Amino acid sequence: MKISKGKFIMINNFFTYPMRIFFLMSSACAVLGASVFFTPTDFVSLHKFIFLQLFLALAYAGFLLTGLTDWTNFQASLKIHAYILFSLFFISFILAFFSLFLAHCFIALFWLYLVLLCLYMIWQDKNDDQFGVLGFLFGILGFEIYYLISGNEKFLNLQVFIHVIAILLISYRVSVVLGKEALKREKGMDEALFVPNFIYKNIAICCVCAFLLLNIFFEASLGVYYAAIACGSAVLAKLKEWHYKELFKHSFVLLYYFMQLFLAVGFLGIGFSGIFELHLETNFMHLIAINAVVFSVMLIFNVAGLRHSGQELEFLRLSKIAFILVLLAGISRGILAYFWSGFYIHLPATLIAIAFVFWLINFYVIFKDNDFSDDPE
């Protein structure tokens, strides 16, 4: 099939600015990962691989090959790197339907290449402000390699909490952007500043790191659950910075607030469930995975997608619906599934699939019709 000149130019543009191709493919993987529950396959293993590896790997690649280039003043072309990463993703994607072990091998190569590329950017700029980024990237790579060597699924499942550390790490930057945008829209507050509390952020990160270490070395200890309560409490404390009516007037602030609130509830749920032997830890882990990790990816896709396409930070109607659907999916799988099995798999899977279809409908058109633009900040 012959590709038209217009399509070729668009594809070339998407790889020149890899945020676009990786965000679009990541969303397509989210739709696929949710849809496998309706197929006669080993959907548990397949959906776990698609969401924890393909979906998130592409999301990180798109975000870092846009954000990190700004933070490290990296000016070289990213196109060849985008082609290499996309090739590793595509091979891993195809292999996933034949051998999950081989698929994991190639996605580990994807993470390795991304880590080395980010390391090179940071080293070239002599930028010591980005060690946190390297930390969580090496964490993901290390857990993936150890999973491949040991076959211990614990190191696959615990990757959820490494992604939580990443969310907390970038939360300062995201909060600055959203807070500034909210205040800019308030009459007479053009000169006002919103400064997030980085101390609460660091406390929350330290608590999640402690929770991870306890899970690795003292899995059967009650200390794991007390650490989870500490994580939830730290995230709740972090919410205080948003308690201003000028901020709560704006939908993007409210959505971000609820994401962090559910993250806190998830950790508190894991803690109290473990202490009181309620056996609901898996439910609350899914609440974190959906309402914190997946929701954060959706948020970044919208914020970065709009800001780097010359658009105002005004979420489109389908995007707002998509956010609500993701939140409902998390509540369904993490909380309501305890009361009725219908909330356990198919309802949250359907909601997530629809949410990312809505995002794709909006942003394929935005990316196709608008030139890539630098961050307005």
Side-chain angles (χ1 to χ4, degrees), residues 162-290:
I162 299 181
H163 295 301
V164 169
I165 292 172
I167 291 166
L168 293 170
L169 193 66
I170 66 167
S171 67
Y172 187 87
R173 297 179 190 272
V174 174
S175 297
V176 168
V177 170
L178 297 183
K180 183 176 180 179
E181 187 67 28
L183 292 176
K184 187 172 71 175
R185 299 181 185 193
E186 288 297 305
K187 187 176 180 181
M189 301 194 72
D190 293 345
E191 302 300 320
L193 292 176
F194 174 73
V195 182
N197 192 317
F198 69 91
I199 296 175
Y200 285 152
K201 178 205 76 173
N202 291 340
I203 291 172
I205 290 172
C206 290
C207 288
V208 179
C209 288
F211 174 77
L212 261 178
L213 290 172
L214 286 168
N215 264 288
I216 294 170
F217 298 109
F218 305 100
E219 188 178 5
S221 167
L222 275 177
V224 171
Y225 305 117
Y226 284 109
I229 291 174
C231 293
S233 301
V235 176
L236 279 179
K238 189 173 173 295
L239 288 176
K240 183 182 177 183
E241 64 195 26
W242 293 103
H243 291 166
Y244 298 94
K245 66 176 186 290
E246 292 84 359
L247 300 176
F248 276 153
K249 289 179 183 178
H250 304 282
S251 60
F252 48 83
V253 170
L254 279 174
L255 289 166
Y256 187 57
Y257 184 91
F258 278 113
M259 181 277 289
Q260 295 180 93
L261 180 61
F262 280 114
L263 175 59
V265 170
F267 274 119
L268 292 172
I270 289 172
F272 286 113
S273 173
I275 291 169
F276 294 106
E277 298 182 352
L278 302 176
H279 308 295
L280 296 174
E281 294 91 325
T282 302
N283 288 51
F284 286 109
M285 189 184 80
H286 276 87
L287 183 70
I288 291 173
I290 298 172

Side-chain angles (χ1 to χ4, degrees), residues 66-343:
T66 304
L68 196 61
T69 53
D70 284 343
W71 306 335
T72 59
N73 303 301
F74 188 76
Q75 301 297 326
S77 172
L78 294 168
K79 190 185 294 186
I80 184 64
H81 304 296
Y83 281 130
I84 292 170
L85 287 168
F86 187 86
S87 298
L88 291 170
F89 149 73
F90 188 72
I91 294 169
S92 179
F93 172 76
I94 297 300
L95 287 172
F97 298 96
F98 303 98
S99 168
L100 277 177
F101 177 78
L102 290 176
H104 274 282
C105 289
F106 274 91
I107 209 64
L109 289 175
F110 181 105
W111 285 114
L112 177 62
Y113 190 92
L114 183 61
V115 168
L116 293 176
L117 178 57
C118 291
L119 183 62
Y120 174 71
M121 289 182 192
I122 292 168
W123 171 80
Q124 189 181 55
D125 192 50
K126 295 182 172 49
N127 189 325
D128 58 4
D129 293 331
Q130 309 304 332
F131 286 149
V133 173
L134 287 179
F136 76 74
L137 284 175
F138 274 111
I140 294 167
L141 178 62
F143 272 51
E144 182 64 11
I145 291 172
Y146 194 81
Y147 167 71
L148 282 171
I149 294 169
S150 68
N152 187 344
E153 287 234 349
K154 177 173 78 172
F155 290 89
L156 190 59
N157 298 334
L158 287 178
Q159 288 183 33
V160 169
F161 301 106
I162 299 181
H163 295 301
V164 169
I165 292 172
I167 291 166
L168 293 170
L169 193 66
I170 66 167
S171 67
Y172 187 87
R173 297 179 190 272
V174 174
S175 297
V176 168
V177 170
L178 297 183
K180 183 176 180 179
E181 187 67 28
L183 292 176
K184 187 172 71 175
R185 299 181 185 193
E186 288 297 305
K187 187 176 180 181
M189 301 194 72
D190 293 345
E191 302 300 320
L193 292 176
F194 174 73
V195 182
N197 192 317
F198 69 91
I199 296 175
Y200 285 152
K201 178 205 76 173
N202 291 340
I203 291 172
I205 290 172
C206 290
C207 288
V208 179
C209 288
F211 174 77
L212 261 178
L213 290 172
L214 286 168
N215 264 288
I216 294 170
F217 298 109
F218 305 100
E219 188 178 5
S221 167
L222 275 177
V224 171
Y225 305 117
Y226 284 109
I229 291 174
C231 293
S233 301
V235 176
L236 279 179
K238 189 173 173 295
L239 288 176
K240 183 182 177 183
E241 64 195 26
W242 293 103
H243 291 166
Y244 298 94
K245 66 176 186 290
E246 292 84 359
L247 300 176
F248 276 153
K249 289 179 183 178
H250 304 282
S251 60
F252 48 83
V253 170
L254 279 174
L255 289 166
Y256 187 57
Y257 184 91
F258 278 113
M259 181 277 289
Q260 295 180 93
L261 180 61
F262 280 114
L263 175 59
V265 170
F267 274 119
L268 292 172
I270 289 172
F272 286 113
S273 173
I275 291 169
F276 294 106
E277 298 182 352
L278 302 176
H279 308 295
L280 296 174
E281 294 91 325
T282 302
N283 288 51
F284 286 109
M285 189 184 80
H286 276 87
L287 183 70
I288 291 173
I290 298 172
N291 279 358
V293 178
V294 175
F295 188 93
S296 292
V297 170
M298 174 72 80
L299 182 70
I300 293 296
F301 282 6
N302 277 273
V303 174
L306 290 170
R307 286 168 68 86
H308 287 283
S309 300
Q311 306 295 302
E312 290 292 325
L313 186 56
E314 189 64 54
F315 294 154
L316 304 174
R317 184 177 301 162
L318 286 181
S319 291
K320 291 177 181 178
I321 296 172
F323 281 122
I324 294 169
L325 292 178
V326 173
L327 288 177
L328 291 175
I331 294 168
S332 174
R333 177 62 183 88
I335 299 173
L336 298 180
Y338 176 74
F339 302 101
W340 181 51
S341 61
F343 292 115

Side-chain angles (χ1 to χ4, degrees), residues 348-360:
T350 301
L351 294 173
I352 288 175
I354 294 172
F356 280 93
V357 166
F358 283 175
W359 186 87
L360 283 165

